[in-house]
Amino acid sequence: MIHTARPDQRSTPPTARRAARALRPALRSAGLLASLGVLVGTVLASLRFGSLPLSTATAIEAFTAFDGSTEHLIVRELRLPRTVIGLGVGAALAVAGVALQAVTRNPLASPEILGVNAGAAFAVVAAVHLLGIVSPSAYVWFAFAGAFVAMVVVFLIASAGRDGATPIKLALSGAVVTALLTSWISAILVLDERTLDQVRFWLAGSLVGRDLDAFAEIAPFLLVGLAIGGAMVRQFDTMSLGESLAAGLGQRTRAVRALTVLAVVLLAGAAVAAAGPIAFIGLAVPHAVRAVVGPSHGWLLPYAAIYGAVLLLVADVLGRIVARPSEIEVGIMTAIIGAPFLVHLVRSRRLSQL
Amino acid sequence: MDELSLGVPDGRITCIIGPNGCGKSTLLRALARLLRPTAGAVLLDGRAIHRLPTKEVARHVGLLPQAPVAPQGLTVADLVARGRFPHRHLFDSWSCEDEAAVEQALTVTHTAELRDQQVDELSGGQRQRVWIAMALAQRTPVLLLDEPTTHLDIAHQLEVLELLAELNRSQQRTVVMVLHDLNEAARYGHHLVAMRAGRIVAEGPPGAVVTAETVRALFGIDSRILTDPVTGGPLLVPVARAGSSPVPAAGPPSPRESRPVADRQNPITGRG
């Protein structure tokens, strides 16, 4: 047991102590501004790099002084959509992860554990197999519906019984539904080569060839999900102290859990519909951010949103560079970047228990 | 648990005692509105708490569950501030009243100098004081605590119980706590509630509840009740499980039984 109350702390003048305490929120605010700077830099990089590298000036002129050149067309028609979608998807996945980890108090909680990715993937694979859908922009609504149905099923299974949807029951039913859907996906893909050829890039998670118009249709769901998450900051703070304490503090725990699942369905459903199943961001980003800014959700949520977007865009840019002139799907890159990162967090013992 | 009727005296310390699994914690959770009775009601100043909004209840009754765990990295000040939750609406900013409640809670629990430290780095006694500070920041006239002294050594147990007694004395807070140690309950409780198998077996001041008969009825053990030389209240000394004979104390061995010290593996019974 560590006694950290050193006697000399009593002699610290109260003013000095208050100043030290006031500095920390100031530092966090400054850090938030700096993080926005990082985000802007990442967006610029995403507009510049690819099979045809461009200068920053060209990337900016594509918007300020569009001249119809190939370079400008590449920026506006190819790189802008994937950057905008990457921003939304990265932020949505990270915020969904923070919300789920707070409410379930489970450090492994992330949207994919509630079956969202498996549900979306199954719906898309089934649509391609049965209905012969060809265009990826038509996948969007199947993916969204699949994610939604899978999470509702997971929540209903977990809600059965006396205690309602407890964290452990949510995780278990999520694992069961995911396993079931994954085996059905495998069954279809093994039997139907045409479907496999068509969906394998989508299944890896990718920002290529996504349609900004289709994304604009999903974006409202994503924004509503972000708004619900943002309004529940104090509820997350209270819930992370445990069910009994939250209830003792006057929290309506069932309502908060249900609202959180709704927010996660909107966020993760929109994300998987836009970019396909992307793992690791919902898990790794909340942990990394928590290790730096601490467990207060008022800070966790905005930081996670920014770095979720940054991680996804960086992964996408790297995917364009490492295999030039070809590309590696962003879903593969997030796992390649995210896994060592998570291992590092575990080894440095900065992975917080919840 | 059925047919249970209990009145908690205002401004006093009530201790609920009884064997494991007798329903002590269940009763406490029902009092805190965490469980809804299938029949009957819990009344708070004459109103049924299950009809009241949760936040309204949380402004009158604070609850500290058994062995709470704070998220890693949470500072003492942040934890105590979370006790203000029932007093704040969705978009309320942090008010002077919130700040004053937190400061007062830190002061009376002697945790003000720990405010910038992380809760998970504190000693057991300090940590429990900080949790009590969080419950105090809630500013409720009634405080419910589920075994506030479990997992604490005797010095920390004393520290926590003295703090609760002090809060009751100086602020007239009504305290209801589940305690395992009958002697602690007898020393700090004004009103004792003895439970077994979901029913109240005895209720009243310590002198009337801590008797050899009640202890046998509760735990099935024979005991002697002495007078606590410090407080003058009852002091329980267990003799043996009812029907068996006591094991002799492991005092200094008589010359006849004397054996090499290394042989004596079990210091409790004195047997090798």
Side-chain angles (χ1 to χ4, degrees):
Chain A
M1 201 161 290
I2 310 155
H3 288 263
T4 34
R6 292 180 301 274
D8 59 32
Q9 282 191 324
R10 278 175 198 280
S11 58
T12 318
T15 46
R17 206 156 52 218
R18 205 160 298 139
R21 203 158 72 96
L23 193 65
R24 220 178 302 159
L27 255 181
R28 288 187 195 140
S29 311
L32 206 55
L33 274 180
S35 303
L36 280 173
V38 172
L39 185 63
V40 171
T42 316
V43 167
L44 271 181
S46 174
L47 294 174
R48 279 186 55 192
F49 294 111
S51 51
L52 178 66
L54 302 170
S55 70
T56 311
T58 318
I60 293 173
E61 276 162 17
F63 301 101
T64 55
F66 181 59
D67 61 6
S69 65
T70 318
E71 286 87 351
H72 283 187
L73 276 173
I74 288 176
V75 170
R76 286 176 68 128
E77 301 301 319
L78 296 179
R79 293 188 189 163
L80 180 67
R82 67 194 295 178
T83 305
V84 170
I85 295 170
L87 280 175
V89 168
L93 288 174
V95 168
V98 170
L100 271 181
Q101 288 176 7
V103 168
T104 61
R105 295 187 95 199
N106 181 346
L108 284 179
S110 66
E112 54 264 33
I113 232 166
L114 287 191
V116 50
N117 284 354
F122 176 72
V124 167
V125 168
V128 172
H129 173 66
L130 296 174
L131 307 175
I133 306 283
V134 188
S135 136
S137 50
Y139 294 174
V140 166
W141 295 105
F142 288 102
F144 200 72
F148 183 77
V149 171
M151 267 206 257
V152 169
V153 169
V154 166
F155 197 61
L156 284 181
I157 295 176
S159 301
R162 212 166 56 103
D163 307 328
T166 57
I168 189 79
K169 279 159 75 186
L170 271 175
L172 279 174
S173 69
V176 168
V177 169
T178 301
L180 186 66
L181 290 174
T182 310
S183 63
W184 284 350
I185 293 169
S186 305
I188 294 178
L189 293 183
V190 164
L191 295 175
D192 181 357
E193 215 167 304
R194 176 188 62 85
T195 305
L196 174 65
D197 271 346
Q198 205 184 318
V199 298
R200 57 190 173 147
F201 291 115
W202 187 88
L203 278 181
S206 167
L207 299 173
V208 184
R210 300 298 193 255
D211 186 350
L212 211 47
D213 290 338
F215 182 68
E217 286 174 37
I218 319 170
F221 294 97
L222 201 151
L223 292 175
V224 171
L226 283 178
I228 297 177
M232 296 216 299
V233 162
R234 265 181 231 159
Q235 275 73 9
F236 293 153
D237 275 348
T238 316
M239 283 299 264
S240 63
L241 298 178
E243 194 93 347
S244 304
L245 258 167
L249 285 168
Q251 179 87 270
R252 292 166 61 202
T253 50
R254 280 184 184 212
V256 169
R257 260 191 325 226
L259 257 180
T260 306
V261 170
L262 174 68
V264 171
V265 167
L266 293 172
L267 289 169
V272 72
I278 291 176
F280 261 110
I281 290 194
L283 180 65
V285 171
H287 279 293
V289 169
R290 194 178 290 113
V292 178
V293 302
S296 276
H297 290 86
W299 294 105
L300 258 180
L301 232 47
Y303 269 99
I306 291 176
Y307 283 102
V310 167
L311 177 60
L312 192 66
L313 286 183
V314 166
D316 189 42
V317 171
L318 286 178
R320 292 178 225 166
I321 293 173
V322 291
R324 210 147 43 187
S326 176
E327 282 197 19
I328 295 179
E329 269 65 35
V330 68
I332 298 170
M333 289 307 295
T334 51
I336 290 176
I337 300 173
F341 186 56
L342 211 57
V343 170
H344 168 71
L345 280 178
V346 173
R347 284 183 50 90
S348 64
R349 292 167 191 263
R350 301 201 69 174
L351 195 68
S352 299
Q353 282 161 7
L354 293 173
Chain B
M1 187 183 294
D2 56 355
E3 285 183 31
L4 185 143
S5 173
L6 168 71
V8 175
D10 250 352
R12 323 234 63 192
I13 298 181
T14 301
C15 294
I16 307 173
I17 56 173
N20 290 339
C22 72
K24 303 184 296 269
S25 295
T26 310
L27 176 60
L28 202 71
R29 291 169 71 83
L31 292 179
R33 197 191 189 276
L34 263 56
L35 298 172
R36 178 192 277 273
T38 44
V42 177
L43 301 182
L44 175 70
D45 299 330
R47 294 180 296 170
I49 60 169
H50 288 93
R51 301 255 166 74
L52 296 174
T54 34
K55 277 198 176 178
E56 167 89 22
V57 174
R59 286 195 285 266
H60 288 93
V61 181
L63 170 74
L64 191 57
Q66 196 177 334
V69 181
Q72 227 170 46
L74 191 68
T75 62
V76 169
D78 281 347
L79 176 66
V80 176
R82 290 183 184 185
R84 297 302 295 164
F85 180 83
H87 297 274
R88 303 173 72 195
H89 296 290
L90 188 52
F91 294 111
D92 279 2
S93 55
W94 189 249
S95 71
C96 296
E97 201 192 329
D98 293 327
E99 187 65 34
V102 169
E103 286 305 318
Q104 198 201 10
L106 289 170
T107 310
V108 298
T109 54
H110 313 290
T111 49
E113 65 270 25
L114 305 175
R115 68 172 76 223
D116 291 325
Q117 294 192 34
Q118 297 184 1
V119 178
D120 43 336
E121 288 174 349
L122 302 177
S123 74
Q126 288 174 329
R127 199 177 305 155
Q128 193 63 317
R129 284 203 326 246
V130 166
W131 281 107
I132 292 172
M134 193 212 76
L136 290 180
Q138 210 173 329
R139 288 239 167 127
T140 57
V142 181
L143 202 54
L144 309 176
L145 303 104
D146 194 355
E147 297 194 20
T149 55
T150 27
H151 307 312
L152 297 181
D153 66 33
I154 192 157
H156 288 142
Q157 290 183 17
L158 207 65
E159 176 184 331
V160 166
L161 291 170
E162 287 291 340
L163 170 64
L164 292 170
E166 168 65 26
L167 288 171
N168 167 256
R169 255 197 314 272
S170 61
Q171 304 181 358
Q172 280 74 51
R173 295 216 199 217
T174 306
V175 175
V176 182
M177 58 181 157
V178 170
L179 280 183
H180 253 306
D181 189 314
L182 294 186
N183 288 328
E184 284 178 352
R187 178 178 281 202
Y188 291 97
H190 303 115
H191 187 81
L192 263 51
V193 177
M195 291 184 67
R196 184 183 166 83
R199 285 166 186 278
I200 292 177
V201 175
E203 191 182 351
V209 174
V210 182
T211 61
E213 296 79 60
T214 313
V215 170
R216 187 178 305 116
L218 286 179
F219 298 98
I221 61 170
D222 289 328
S223 61
R224 269 187 224 147
I225 309 298
L226 311 180
T227 302
D228 187 332
V230 180
T231 62
L235 178 72
L236 172 120
V237 177
V239 177
R241 290 187 51 164
S244 63
S245 55
V247 174
S254 62
R256 195 166 44 88
E257 299 174 316
S258 176
R259 276 177 289 170
V261 175
D263 259 15
R264 295 184 47 201
Q265 309 255 315
N266 190 336
I268 306 292
T269 60
R271 293 177 192 154

